[in-house]
Amino acid sequence: MNEFSTAEWHDAPPLSKEAFEAAIRAVGEERYHDKHPFHKMLHGGKLNKGQVQAWALNRYCYQEAVPRKDAAFMSRVHDRELRREWIHRIHDHDGLGEEGGGIERWLVLTDGLGLSRDYVTSRKGALPATKFAVEAYVRFVVEQPLVIAVASSLTELFAPAIHRERIAGMLENYDFVDESVMAYFKRRLAQAPRDSDFALSYIKAHAYTRAEQEACVDAVRFKCNVLWAQLDALHQAYVTGLVPPGAFTPES
Amino acid sequence: MNEFSTAEWHDAPPLSKEAFEAAIRAVGEERYHDKHPFHKMLHGGKLNKGQVQAWALNRYCYQEAVPRKDAAFMSRVHDRELRREWIHRIHDHDGLGEEGGGIERWLVLTDGLGLSRDYVTSRKGALPATKFAVEAYVRFVVEQPLVIAVASSLTELFAPAIHRERIAGMLENYDFVDESVMAYFKRRLAQAPRDSDFALSYIKAHAYTRAEQEACVDAVRFKCNVLWAQLDALHQAYVTGLVPPGAFTPES
């Protein structure tokens, strides 16, 4: 899954912590999904309602996978303090007690777009490529060394900018989107930086060799690919117009 | 891992819910680890301090595996309500915020027995057979259908009786055990019934066919085997006296 080979970095000295962080951040410039044409169309008001519906119900699969990814990660962690830190990510998505959590806020968004909750949560209308991509992320954190698994979460470094842009662009451009349905992104503006600060500190402390550092950078590329592949699938199905058999078809 | 074959129950009608529950409960009578000679020695004051230390540091591996098992289970659950219910099991073991949790209480017990925390949490002195058994449990909930994974938790039905017996027997029989170190078991007296009530209701609602019901009963047998194997390993090493290379060796 990860194309990276540690052999090529076997003899290289480790990067300084600053250079390591810079290499991680450079991945965002290179390939974060804000560079994808579908993203630009979404934020720029170039999509019709059916295309926004398709985006929201496919993206639900990603939202829904994230707490499972975090649980899969925790299932491998013998360090109780790390589990106690990481579990708040599950709380953020699933809620805790009275708090409904991010997935509930995502369903408020799909409600607002006129999609039935049963249909969205069944994931039956989602594109197979979406599901393959998000499950690859769940597997990645099971199969990779822990520090590399942590690194794969670091697309959160790039998320607040895209969320701010998304909130503004979608509110401005779509009459079927209002403040209430954008609650998910507003909450993530506060949550994502806490998470990425922790994950960045963690990998800086625990990636000791150049090979481990490069594998961390590659994990961020992998995660960008997971996000990019989702927009590719949406573009293919709902812009190019080749909707795969069984997938959501917008009403005329 | 699970010896059960669904084929033999293919044509059988499902058990009534009462008969299904009775079949689950019967497994406890048949093979719960309170029947093991090491358990009887532990509770009856027949062990010396080194043997109780060996039990506590091996059992730490099981305690430590349980929240990872629960996270592994959650990583497979698409139903958010089920995850929101299940996560409290992780909180019970790992604690949440100010609350230290069951593993912390277990370490109070190992502290009380004079074992170093670093040594206990390193799991370096634990018997390999202990680690193999508890990791088999983590794998079981990843590999089996969800309803069968849930059923494997149901040894909790049998736990309160053994915990009450353990608290009384250990306090009475060992001068190196006091109330504070038994806090783990006292807390479990309240937690285990809540968990087993939920799990029992869940499997009664979600095991539809006789084959699924029998697989659930077999999951409880599997889990009893996980517990029994741990006491077998302790008995072999610390009663028979064949301590494997690298494992904890009591002083004198």
Side-chain angles (χ1 to χ4, degrees):
Chain A
M1 177 180 296
N2 198 338
E3 293 159 39
F4 176 75
S5 158
T6 54
E8 79 181 277
W9 298 105
H10 185 66
D11 293 326
L15 297 169
S16 70
K17 291 196 193 307
E18 295 69 27
F20 181 31
E21 177 171 341
I24 294 280
R25 290 185 183 276
V27 177
E29 290 302 310
E30 172 189 302
R31 58 168 80 193
Y32 191 54
H33 63 166
D34 61 345
K35 317 266 182 290
H36 196 285
F38 194 90
H39 170 87
K40 293 181 195 297
M41 294 176 76
L42 174 67
H43 290 201
K46 306 300 185 202
L47 300 181
N48 60 36
K49 186 170 179 179
Q51 290 168 319
V52 177
Q53 286 175 320
W55 166 75
L57 80 84
N58 275 277
R59 171 89 182 193
Y60 169 82
C61 295
Y62 176 69
Q63 303 303 136
E64 189 269 346
V66 169
R68 290 188 293 107
K69 178 273 296 184
D70 289 318
F73 174 77
M74 286 178 60
S75 77
R76 301 178 59 210
V77 173
H78 290 277
D79 174 350
R80 182 162 46 115
E81 287 309 314
L82 179 54
R83 288 200 305 270
R84 283 168 54 88
E85 164 61 32
W86 208 266
I87 201 169
H88 86 81
R89 291 171 178 254
I90 302 181
H91 300 152
D92 285 349
H93 282 84
D94 279 348
L96 182 66
E98 295 297 300
E99 160 61 29
I103 295 174
E104 175 60 30
R105 283 186 286 277
W106 195 268
L107 292 169
V108 169
L109 188 153
T110 56
D111 291 345
L113 292 169
L115 294 163
S116 119
R117 282 201 175 199
D118 283 350
Y119 182 67
V120 173
T121 59
S122 77
R123 294 166 293 121
K124 285 185 183 165
L127 297 163
T130 301
K131 291 185 267 195
F132 299 156
V134 303
E135 297 309 325
Y137 185 28
V138 178
R139 292 306 306 161
F140 186 90
V141 305
V142 171
E143 292 166 357
Q144 296 294 320
L146 286 187
V147 67
I148 298 169
V150 169
S152 70
S153 73
L154 279 169
T155 48
E156 284 162 340
L157 287 169
F158 321 130
I162 198 176
H163 286 172
R164 267 188 294 272
E165 191 187 343
R166 188 169 287 161
I167 294 167
M170 289 185 69
L171 284 174
E172 185 181 320
N173 290 306
Y174 299 114
D175 57 11
F176 49 86
V177 167
D178 66 19
E179 291 274 349
S180 69
V181 307
M182 299 309 285
Y184 173 82
F185 298 105
K186 286 185 202 158
R187 178 64 77 95
R188 289 303 295 165
L189 289 177
Q191 290 170 338
R194 174 189 162 176
D195 290 348
S196 59
D197 285 352
F198 177 84
L200 195 56
S201 299
Y202 185 91
I203 68 165
K204 285 158 95 172
H206 293 89
Y208 302 104
T209 66
R210 179 68 180 272
E212 287 170 318
Q213 291 174 329
E214 294 292 339
C216 286
V217 175
D218 216 44
V220 184
R221 288 196 193 100
F222 162 81
K223 174 65 174 304
C224 283
N225 292 348
V226 168
L227 297 169
W228 192 275
Q230 292 176 65
L231 295 188
D232 266 355
L234 284 164
H235 193 275
Q236 166 74 2
Y238 300 106
V239 178
T240 302
L242 263 166
V243 179
F248 170 71
T249 306
E251 290 171 26
S252 68
Chain B
M1 177 180 298
N2 198 337
E3 293 159 37
F4 177 75
S5 158
T6 55
E8 78 181 279
W9 298 104
H10 186 65
D11 293 325
L15 297 169
S16 69
K17 291 195 192 307
E18 295 70 26
F20 180 31
E21 178 171 339
I24 294 280
R25 290 186 182 277
V27 176
E29 290 302 309
E30 171 190 303
R31 59 168 80 193
Y32 191 54
H33 64 165
D34 60 345
K35 318 264 181 291
H36 196 285
F38 193 90
H39 170 86
K40 293 182 196 297
M41 294 175 75
L42 174 68
H43 290 200
K46 307 299 186 202
L47 300 182
N48 60 37
K49 186 170 178 178
Q51 290 169 318
V52 177
Q53 287 176 320
W55 165 76
L57 80 85
N58 276 275
R59 172 89 182 194
Y60 169 82
C61 295
Y62 175 69
Q63 303 303 134
E64 189 268 347
V66 169
R68 291 188 292 107
K69 178 273 296 184
D70 289 318
F73 174 77
M74 287 178 60
S75 76
R76 302 178 58 209
V77 173
H78 291 276
D79 174 352
R80 182 163 45 116
E81 287 309 315
L82 179 54
R83 288 200 305 269
R84 282 167 54 88
E85 163 61 31
W86 207 266
I87 201 169
H88 86 82
R89 291 170 178 254
I90 302 181
H91 301 151
D92 285 349
H93 281 83
D94 279 347
L96 182 66
E98 295 297 299
E99 160 62 28
I103 294 174
E104 174 59 30
R105 283 185 287 277
W106 194 267
L107 292 169
V108 169
L109 187 154
T110 56
D111 291 345
L113 292 170
L115 295 163
S116 118
R117 281 202 176 200
D118 283 350
Y119 183 66
V120 173
T121 60
S122 76
R123 294 167 294 120
K124 285 184 182 163
L127 297 163
T130 301
K131 292 185 267 195
F132 299 156
V134 303
E135 296 309 324
Y137 185 28
V138 178
R139 293 305 307 162
F140 187 89
V141 306
V142 171
E143 292 165 357
Q144 296 293 320
L146 287 187
V147 66
I148 298 169
V150 169
S152 69
S153 73
L154 278 169
T155 48
E156 284 163 340
L157 286 169
F158 321 130
I162 198 176
H163 286 173
R164 266 188 294 272
E165 191 187 343
R166 188 170 286 162
I167 294 167
M170 290 184 69
L171 284 174
E172 185 182 320
N173 290 307
Y174 299 114
D175 58 12
F176 47 87
V177 167
D178 65 19
E179 292 274 350
S180 69
V181 308
M182 298 310 285
Y184 172 82
F185 298 105
K186 286 186 202 157
R187 180 63 78 92
R188 289 303 296 166
L189 290 177
Q191 290 170 338
R194 174 188 161 176
D195 291 348
S196 59
D197 285 352
F198 177 85
L200 195 55
S201 299
Y202 185 90
I203 67 164
K204 285 158 96 172
H206 293 89
Y208 302 105
T209 66
R210 179 66 181 272
E212 288 169 319
Q213 291 173 329
E214 294 292 340
C216 286
V217 175
D218 215 44
V220 183
R221 287 194 193 101
F222 163 80
K223 174 65 174 303
C224 284
N225 293 348
V226 167
L227 297 169
W228 192 275
Q230 292 176 64
L231 296 188
D232 265 355
L234 284 164
H235 192 276
Q236 166 73 1
Y238 300 105
V239 179
T240 303
L242 263 166
V243 179
F248 170 71
T249 306
E251 288 173 29
S252 79

